[in-house]
Amino acid sequence: MQELGATVDAARAVNSGRSMVFRRVGSKVEWDGQRFSQLTTPVLVPFGMVMLHDHLKSLEVAIDNSGKTMETNFAKMLAGRADVAVGTEYHGRELLALPQFAGKIEELPQPFTDAPYFLVTSRRFYEANPQLMEKLWDTIGRIRRTPAYQASQRKAFDEMVKP
């Protein structure tokens, strides 16, 4: 069982979730995976995305979370109200494929966040079934590495971003 303070084995994760930085084309703002440079406007983050908001706050940058959706924030960028927005990788890429944003907003290469998500269980269940849980977590990791699983993930992503 994963003990507090132990290293997390991301290979056993069910999935991973990434958020990315999206920039108005022509903006000079950069994100190196650790900090922003040439940032002169607030970073847009959809209302309610608390983990992203907290991460931005820890970086001590100005934040605008008044937009309820990423689409609203992309429109704000095009209106010149901000240079960058942070949001989920898949939704951002889906929006980049829309005619109103295509070629006007771009995704920066370094993720803003990249977090593994695991199948969780109670300590009590794990303690009663440790071999079963270890086998299950190992199987999840093995399945995620198969070409068939990776192809299904690519196909799902491709379907999601189709115009």
Side-chain angles (χ1 to χ4, degrees), residues 52-70:
L52 297 180
H53 182 275
D54 289 350
H55 188 53
L56 286 163
K57 191 173 180 181
S58 74
L59 296 173
E60 299 179 351
V61 299
I63 304 164
D64 176 350
N65 69 342
S66 63
K68 293 190 188 245
T69 66
M70 257 176 97

Side-chain angles (χ1 to χ4, degrees), residues 23-159:
R23 169 177 73 183
R24 185 170 25 92
V25 170
S27 168
K28 294 188 181 339
V29 175
E30 293 291 339
W31 168 251
D32 66 6
Q34 301 293 316
R35 64 190 60 80
F36 288 98
S37 61
Q38 301 190 45
L39 185 63
T40 59
T41 61
V43 176
L44 303 172
V45 61
F47 179 79
M49 297 197 83
V50 177
M51 291 186 342
L52 297 180
H53 182 275
D54 289 350
H55 188 53
L56 286 163
K57 191 173 180 181
S58 74
L59 296 173
E60 299 179 351
V61 299
I63 304 164
D64 176 350
N65 69 342
S66 63
K68 293 190 188 245
T69 66
M70 257 176 97
E71 188 168 1
T72 299
N73 287 340
F74 276 24
K76 283 183 175 186
M77 279 194 289
L78 292 183
R81 293 177 54 194
D83 289 317
V84 295
V86 174
T88 59
E89 175 181 39
Y90 293 128
H91 191 205
R93 287 181 179 173
E94 183 178 32
L95 292 173
L96 292 178
L98 297 176
Q100 64 265 38
F101 303 122
K104 299 171 189 163
I105 294 176
E106 59 191 351
E107 177 184 343
L108 297 182
Q110 294 296 321
F112 184 69
T113 61
D114 191 354
Y117 292 90
F118 297 90
L119 174 68
V120 294
T121 184
S122 69
R123 179 177 298 272
R124 187 171 162 191
F125 185 84
Y126 177 85
E127 288 171 352
N129 304 282
Q131 292 169 330
L132 173 65
M133 289 308 304
E134 292 297 327
K135 184 176 179 181
L136 181 58
W137 285 321
D138 286 341
T139 300
I140 288 168
R142 193 170 49 254
I143 289 169
R144 285 193 67 212
R145 290 187 301 273
T146 65
Y149 177 84
Q150 292 171 3
S152 71
Q153 290 293 94
R154 277 191 302 277
K155 181 179 177 188
F157 175 73
D158 291 345
E159 290 295 319

